[in-house]
């Protein structure tokens, strides 16, 4: 690569990634075959999939001159007793570190009747790879690996130390991966680290996420009194109480927190009734117990303690009016972190690479979904989220990755790694 212009170097990188298309597809297919669902959701966890990723790293020669670290966070629900993550450290010209994190766990396939194919037997068709986890987050992980592979094939030393993370437990809150890695200092992250999380983006590839709403997921246990449906006066209908609670919460939360912030889409806080559990098996029985959940995505300037106070006031009112008892359980809480600056080093590096590959002008914004980035932002470390991905594929039946986008992502990552 001696005496080569910047544009010639870019063209070489792009051509090399295009040459790697088949092996990238094969590698993606090899990892999505593993049903890496959290053991907390009845799955087998990530061990087998992590082993396959490690195998790809070795087969592609990416471990040569690099360091491969396994991090295992104890989890008693896992068959192995832990949840595995892999970090690949590749030295660069400088000690400045560029991190890229993808997650290797997936959500369940859901109702398999809605799938046209086996969700864990990939189908390559019409420029797509169909499988659970192909889009979320498989294509990004493969793009990360083969961006580094392209540089290695061209004998290009990365500008930065490249740290690629393939981590567990993103779909259920990161308690067995990034959260302890950051909060318990399992990894010594530095304030000047540049962190990219390729786990969310738009088809145009022009959206860079620099902020996330706060997350509050809550569950209610409603206790009434079971009785025969012909004598409702002898019981307390927990189903009716739960319906009442749901409607009153919906109205109270939206009324109490009406603010909007145009950085986000949607611009308002969202308070959504979601999960309801099965109650009684017979239609002629008034249920004595109901369980329901709310998912709340709250604008960063709103304190989640205030949201919980509003919830508790509604609970007390419902209990007073009905005679039922209602218990609150906080399933997950992530307070919003400070926004990453669009002038940060990693944002500038990514913006330039995206412009070169996709010929678009990146725009910055926030989202309601949660990613690894929040843990870094709480520590004052610049972290951004970006990938080119098909809109609306995550967690859907017949999920697919677009091969063209996977190649584009690899080109963006490679330019970033090269400090182009």
């Amino acid at each position: 690569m001696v005496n080569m212009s910047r544009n010639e170097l870019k063209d070489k990188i792009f051509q090399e990634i295009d040459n790697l298309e088949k092996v990238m597809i094969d590698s993606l297919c090899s990892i999505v075959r593993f049903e890496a669902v959290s053991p907390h959701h009845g799955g087998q966890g990530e061990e087998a999939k992590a082993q396959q990723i490690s195998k790809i790293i070795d087969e592609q020669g990416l471990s040569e001159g690099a360091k491969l670290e396994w991090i295992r966070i104890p989890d008693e629900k896992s068959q192995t007793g832990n949840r595995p993550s892999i970090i690949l450290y590749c030295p660069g010209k400088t000690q400045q570190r560029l991190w890229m994190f993808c997650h290797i766990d997936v959500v369940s396939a859901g109702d398999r009747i809605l799938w046209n194919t086996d969700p864990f037997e990939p189908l390559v068709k019409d420029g797509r790879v169909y499988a659970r986890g192909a889009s979320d987050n498989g294509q990004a992980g493969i793009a990360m690996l083969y961006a580094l592979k392209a540089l290695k094939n061209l004998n290009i030393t990365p500008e930065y130390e490249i740290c690629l993370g393939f981590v567990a437990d993103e779909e259920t809150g990161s308690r067995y991966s990034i959260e302890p890695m950051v909060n318990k200092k399992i990894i010594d992250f530095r304030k000047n680290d540049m962190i990219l999380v390729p786990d969310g983006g738009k088809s145009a590839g022009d959206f860079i996420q620099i902020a996330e709403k706060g997350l509050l997921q809550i569950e209610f246990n409603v206790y009434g009194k079971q009785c025969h449906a012909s004598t409702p006066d002898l019981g307390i209908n927990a189903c009716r109480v739960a319906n009442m609670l749901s409607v009153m919460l919906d109205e109270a939360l939206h009324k109490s927190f009406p603010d909007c912030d145009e950085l986000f889409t949607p611009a308002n806080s969202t308070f959504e009734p979601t999960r309801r559990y099965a109650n009684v098996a017979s239609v002629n029985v008034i249920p004595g117990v109901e369980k329901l959940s709310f998912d709340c995505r709250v604008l960063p300037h709103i304190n989640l303690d205030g949201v919980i106070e509003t919830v508790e006031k509604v609970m007390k009112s419902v209990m007073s009016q009905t005679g039922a008892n209602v218990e609150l359980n906080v399933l997950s809480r992530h307070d919003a972190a400070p926004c990453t600056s669009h002038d940060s080093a990693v944002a500038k590096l990514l913006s330039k690479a995206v412009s070169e590959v996709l010929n678009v002008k990146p725009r910055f914004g926030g989202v309601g979904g949660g990613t690894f980035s929040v843990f870094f932002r709480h520590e004052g470390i610049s972290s951004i989220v970006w990938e080119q991905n098909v809109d609306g594929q995550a967690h859907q039946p017949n999920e697919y990755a677009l091969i063209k986008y996977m190649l584009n992502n690899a080109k963006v990552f490679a330019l970033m790694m090269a400090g182009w």
Side-chain angles (χ1 to χ4, degrees):
M1 299 299 114
V2 179
N3 298 324
M4 185 174 294
S5 71
R6 285 170 57 83
N7 284 333
E8 288 174 330
L9 177 62
K10 180 184 72 172
D11 291 342
K12 283 284 187 181
I13 291 172
F14 288 3
Q15 184 60 58
E16 184 61 28
I17 289 172
D18 287 337
N19 292 342
L20 290 168
E21 178 178 343
K22 183 180 184 305
V23 68
M24 290 176 69
I25 295 170
D26 290 344
S27 292
L28 178 58
C29 289
S30 77
I31 66 172
V32 296
R33 287 189 171 95
F34 296 97
E35 197 167 344
V37 175
S38 168
H40 294 261
H41 287 181
Q44 301 298 311
E46 303 90 354
E47 181 67 31
K49 189 171 183 178
Q51 293 288 352
Q52 176 62 24
I53 292 170
S54 177
K55 181 180 178 182
I56 293 171
I57 289 171
D58 286 338
E59 288 178 344
Q60 295 302 320
L62 295 175
S63 56
E64 298 174 8
K67 174 187 173 184
L68 185 65
E69 179 182 12
W70 284 77
I71 298 175
R72 298 183 179 276
I73 308 297
D75 181 0
E76 62 183 14
K77 284 190 175 293
S78 171
Q79 291 181 347
T80 60
N82 62 72
R83 307 289 290 282
S85 297
I86 303 172
I87 312 292
L88 178 65
Y89 299 90
C90 181
K93 295 177 183 177
T94 70
Q95 294 184 343
Q96 171 71 57
R97 298 193 300 191
L98 172 61
W99 292 84
M100 296 183 184
F101 283 102
C102 73
H103 65 86
I104 59 177
D105 62 322
V106 298
V107 296
S108 69
D111 189 349
R112 296 204 178 200
I113 294 176
L114 300 176
W115 286 78
N116 296 330
T117 60
D118 184 336
F120 294 101
E121 184 53 48
L123 171 67
V124 181
K125 181 180 179 181
D126 299 330
R128 302 174 177 182
V129 177
Y130 290 88
R132 171 59 83 226
S135 171
D136 182 24
N137 196 209
Q139 72 160 20
I142 297 302
M144 286 160 42
L145 282 177
Y146 284 93
L148 188 59
K149 172 67 173 175
L151 297 189
K152 189 176 184 67
N153 287 355
L154 295 169
N155 296 314
I156 298 173
T157 300
E159 182 69 20
Y160 316 102
E161 179 181 2
I162 306 303
C163 311
L164 304 183
F166 304 85
V167 300
D169 191 42
E170 189 272 346
E171 296 291 2
T172 54
S174 303
R175 289 174 296 168
Y176 303 99
S177 59
I178 291 294
E179 182 177 12
M181 287 181 198
V182 175
N183 296 340
K184 295 184 178 180
K185 312 299 182 184
I186 293 174
I187 293 178
D188 182 25
F189 292 105
R190 306 167 188 163
K191 293 294 184 181
N192 71 336
D193 281 347
M194 300 185 292
I195 297 178
L196 170 64
V197 179
D199 185 21
K202 302 294 184 181
S203 292
D206 61 344
F207 181 74
I208 298 175
Q209 188 253 92
I210 57 174
E212 295 174 12
K213 295 177 181 178
L215 170 67
L216 184 66
Q217 293 174 325
I218 50 180
E219 183 178 83
F220 302 91
N221 293 314
V222 178
Y223 299 101
K225 182 180 179 182
Q226 183 173 310
C227 65
H228 196 282
S230 66
T231 57
D233 54 308
L234 298 180
I236 299 175
N237 192 325
C239 181
R240 178 178 286 114
V241 175
N243 293 342
M244 178 180 178
L245 174 66
S246 181
V247 171
M248 289 179 64
L249 277 173
D250 197 339
E251 293 176 350
L253 289 169
H254 283 98
K255 182 178 180 180
S256 300
F257 306 102
D259 296 4
C260 290
D261 184 341
E262 296 305 322
L263 183 67
F264 296 90
T265 303
N268 58 298
S269 298
T270 58
F271 306 97
E272 293 298 311
T274 53
R275 184 170 53 185
R276 287 289 287 265
Y277 291 80
N279 46 34
V280 293
S282 300
V283 70
N284 62 345
V285 176
I286 286 178
V289 179
E290 283 278 353
K291 183 178 287 190
L292 68 152
S293 303
F294 263 67
D295 182 288
C296 309
R297 311 293 171 125
V298 184
L299 292 175
H301 69 276
I302 297 173
N303 192 315
L304 294 184
D305 288 335
V307 176
I308 293 175
E309 288 177 8
T310 299
V311 169
E312 290 175 338
K313 287 179 182 178
V314 173
M315 287 170 55
K316 290 179 181 178
S317 177
V318 169
M319 287 189 286
S320 175
Q321 294 180 56
T322 64
N325 187 40
V326 181
E327 293 178 350
L328 170 64
N329 180 27
V330 177
L331 300 176
S332 184
R333 173 176 176 166
H334 293 296
D335 294 82
C339 174
T340 296
S341 172
H342 64 272
D343 287 325
S344 63
V346 67
K348 289 180 177 179
L349 184 64
L350 173 62
S351 296
K352 190 172 183 181
V354 169
S355 296
E356 288 295 332
V357 175
L358 301 178
N359 195 30
V360 296
K361 182 178 180 180
R363 57 190 177 91
F364 297 91
V367 299
T371 70
F372 295 143
S373 276
V374 65
F375 299 105
F376 300 110
R377 290 174 183 149
H378 275 303
E379 294 297 313
I381 302 172
S382 294
S383 179
I384 55 178
V385 178
W386 177 89
E387 66 174 327
Q388 186 182 28
N389 207 341
V390 182
D391 296 334
Q393 281 300 299
H395 301 190
Q396 298 300 311
N398 302 307
E399 175 184 348
Y400 68 88
L402 202 60
I403 294 168
K404 178 182 178 181
Y405 289 179
M406 181 168 64
L407 296 174
N408 286 344
N409 289 339
K411 292 171 184 177
V412 169
F413 301 159
L415 288 187
M416 293 179 71
M417 292 174 182
W420 197 90

